[in-house]
Amino acid sequence: MAQNSELKRAFQAFRREIEYCSYCPKLCRFACPVAQIEHSETVTPTGKMTLLRLVRDRVLPFDADSADVFYRCTGCLISRTYCEHRIEVMPVLEAARAEAVARGVAPARAMQALETWQKQGNPFGEDLSAIVRNHVPEKYLDGSAEVLLFPGCTALHYHPANLEAIVRVLEALHVDFRVLHQGRICCGNPIHTLGHRETFATHSRELMARLAGWKTIVSPCPTCVYYLKEVYARTGLKPAGEVLHISEYVAARLSELSVREPVEKKIIYHDPCHLGRYLGVYDPPRLILEKATGQQPLEFYEHREAGTCCGGGGGVPLTHPQTARAIGQNKMQDFARSGAELLATACPMCQRMLDRSGREQGAVVEDVIALLAQSLGPQG
Ligand code: SF4
Ligand code: SF4
């Protein structure tokens, strides 16, 4: 099949990445969670980029087999940590995924995801507005305020109780806020990363118009923050206000909070890829845990920029669920060896993946804001 101009543009834009990675002696191979689990050279960062080069040079066809490999990346960005050239593999693979969708050769689950997303504007096909209304007092739903809380689809679907914890903390800080509860409450990452570019473009324009006028937007989801701040900007869309992860917003005001019931557990912190490597937010969640417990959290051997993945990114839980789950189980084995009683994180997808992977061993996984809310004690 002839290469269309879109694909040619992508090959041109990512020429440096494709050349460097495909001729690299696999310097980041050891760190790639997908390669670790699948024990395959094809899915190493070098392997995936070499395949893309061979497709570009028409040595191999762009068919369902090659497309499947482009979907074997969680976008964890840990390859960049060990890369002399600071190369990011995921944007290149996402361009290839978009082409796979356009050609109809993407994995079936990636193709079907669009249909589910279009039902309600989120990957779960769920009425997320109803979830917000069930967990947030009515006075925080409509009208204007200083701060808009953008809950994000994953947090609402998997951890609606976390929303109550955020409300509890924002109330304790006397923040003037509202919670987005109408329309599509999704940043669009699930469709963007799976390759549905046209739908994402329409959605991102519509969402940006709805967010116009808000001075500060906070979200418990690092992926939402990264998309609203960085990915939208690549297409010329920029929210007028500041976009922050909830941990950044709250950590800056911790001195205003009084802890009445410190959480008495030995806690270890897991750095979410989108919060840490993508947004560079490492200290705020740790400061929140220190406030909630009175002590610094324990650290995984690999943490901050070297923190390992939960398996939840890049649509891998949808397209290659066994790989995603095994990556999460690896992390929970590290947790079991850590001596900690509880794993805390600051991302709804990490919480979901690690909670599910650690359930059999009785592991407890919590969000940092939920722990902070707990430490504040009952309201009043
Ligand atoms: S990301 Fe860097 S280290 Fe990894 S394969 Fe590419 S060039 Fe090599
Ligand atoms: S971003 Fe993560 S999963 Fe993807 S190739 Fe790099 S190390 Fe592997």
Side-chain angles (χ1 to χ4, degrees):
M1 190 183 283
Q3 285 171 4
N4 66 29
S5 55
E6 184 71 27
L7 183 62
K8 276 190 190 151
R9 259 200 302 278
F11 282 147
Q12 196 56 38
F14 295 118
R15 194 162 175 267
R16 173 177 173 271
E17 285 84 351
I18 294 170
E19 299 297 326
Y20 277 40
C21 288
S22 61
Y23 290 110
C24 174
K26 301 181 184 169
L27 293 178
C28 62
R29 184 217 186 284
F30 73 96
C32 175
V34 176
Q36 281 171 1
I37 293 301
E38 297 194 355
H39 306 291
S40 153
E41 290 307 310
T42 310
V43 301
T44 60
T46 304
K48 287 178 275 220
M49 297 291 260
T50 302
L51 180 61
L52 196 50
R53 181 171 57 77
L54 294 174
V55 167
R56 180 195 67 185
D57 297 345
R58 298 196 172 101
V59 176
L60 289 174
F62 198 140
D63 58 11
D65 288 340
S66 48
D68 178 77
V69 174
F70 303 143
Y71 282 82
R72 292 177 189 265
C73 173
T74 64
C76 69
L77 206 57
I78 200 165
S79 33
R80 191 189 67 180
T81 300
Y82 300 103
C83 177
E84 280 290 313
H85 311 289
R86 304 289 291 167
I87 280 176
E88 297 188 9
V89 171
M90 189 49 145
V92 192
L93 295 177
E94 282 178 338
R97 290 174 179 195
E99 180 62 19
V101 165
R103 290 176 184 234
V105 295
R109 285 173 164 213
M111 297 298 283
Q112 288 151 8
L114 183 63
E115 206 180 306
T116 311
W117 196 89
Q118 277 170 333
K119 276 186 203 149
Q120 299 267 7
N122 65 73
F124 310 104
E126 203 175 358
D127 180 3
L128 298 179
S129 304
I131 296 178
V132 177
R133 289 194 300 274
N134 284 340
H135 291 270
V136 175
E138 211 179 327
K139 62 182 174 177
Y140 297 127
L141 296 181
D142 295 310
S144 57
E146 284 283 305
V147 173
L148 176 72
L149 175 62
F150 183 87
C153 64
T154 309
L156 289 175
H157 178 73
Y158 290 120
H159 318 289
N162 284 355
L163 194 54
E164 293 174 21
I166 295 171
V167 168
R168 168 81 180 93
V169 170
L170 293 180
E171 281 180 338
L173 288 169
H174 306 290
V175 177
D176 175 27
F177 72 98
R178 293 292 182 275
V179 183
L180 185 75
H181 71 105
Q182 284 172 328
R184 295 169 166 166
I185 313 173
C186 174
C187 67
N189 158 272
I191 44 170
H192 178 262
T193 199
L194 290 171
H196 300 287
R197 288 283 165 97
E198 278 177 33
T199 308
F200 175 74
T202 309
H203 169 64
S204 54
R205 280 195 299 271
E206 184 265 337
L207 180 61
M208 213 32 56
R210 281 198 289 137
L211 297 182
W214 288 96
K215 204 170 131 204
T216 305
I217 299 166
V218 297
S219 176
C221 178
T223 306
C224 291
V225 175
Y226 177 66
Y227 265 64
L228 295 179
K229 261 178 107 159
E230 310 281 346
V231 179
Y232 282 25
R234 284 181 214 150
T235 58
L237 295 169
K238 244 191 172 342
E242 191 180 22
V243 184
L244 295 166
H245 186 256
I246 187 74
S247 68
E248 295 177 274
Y249 185 82
V250 170
R253 298 181 57 177
L254 281 175
S255 60
E256 297 170 45
L257 294 173
S258 302
V259 168
R260 283 184 287 176
E261 298 179 6
V263 178
E264 291 176 352
K265 287 227 162 74
K266 224 190 282 177
I267 297 178
I268 194 163
Y269 176 67
H270 161 79
D271 285 289
C273 301
H274 271 127
L275 190 60
R277 279 184 287 273
Y278 280 86
L279 291 166
V281 176
Y282 294 110
D283 291 328
R286 289 173 166 84
L287 292 172
I288 290 170
L289 288 174
E290 200 174 336
K291 179 83 180 183
T293 64
Q295 51 194 325
Q296 286 183 351
L298 300 178
E299 298 286 1
F300 283 100
Y301 179 71
E302 287 148 324
H303 58 279
R304 297 178 79 96
E305 203 178 341
T308 52
C309 180
C310 72
V316 176
L318 181 76
T319 57
H320 300 90
Q322 286 173 333
T323 298
R325 191 158 195 165
I327 294 171
Q329 283 165 344
N330 258 2
K331 183 81 191 197
M332 293 314 284
Q333 280 171 11
D334 290 346
F335 168 72
R337 288 189 287 262
S338 72
E341 297 164 285
L342 187 151
L343 186 150
T345 191
C347 166
M349 189 48 121
C350 294
Q351 187 180 353
R352 156 73 179 162
M353 292 301 293
L354 298 177
D355 182 57
R356 201 178 57 160
S357 300
R359 205 168 289 159
E360 278 165 24
Q361 68 195 57
V364 182
V365 181
E366 291 273 11
D367 181 82
V368 295
I369 298 292
L371 290 165
L372 180 64
Q374 197 183 315
S375 75
L376 300 179
Q379 211 150 12

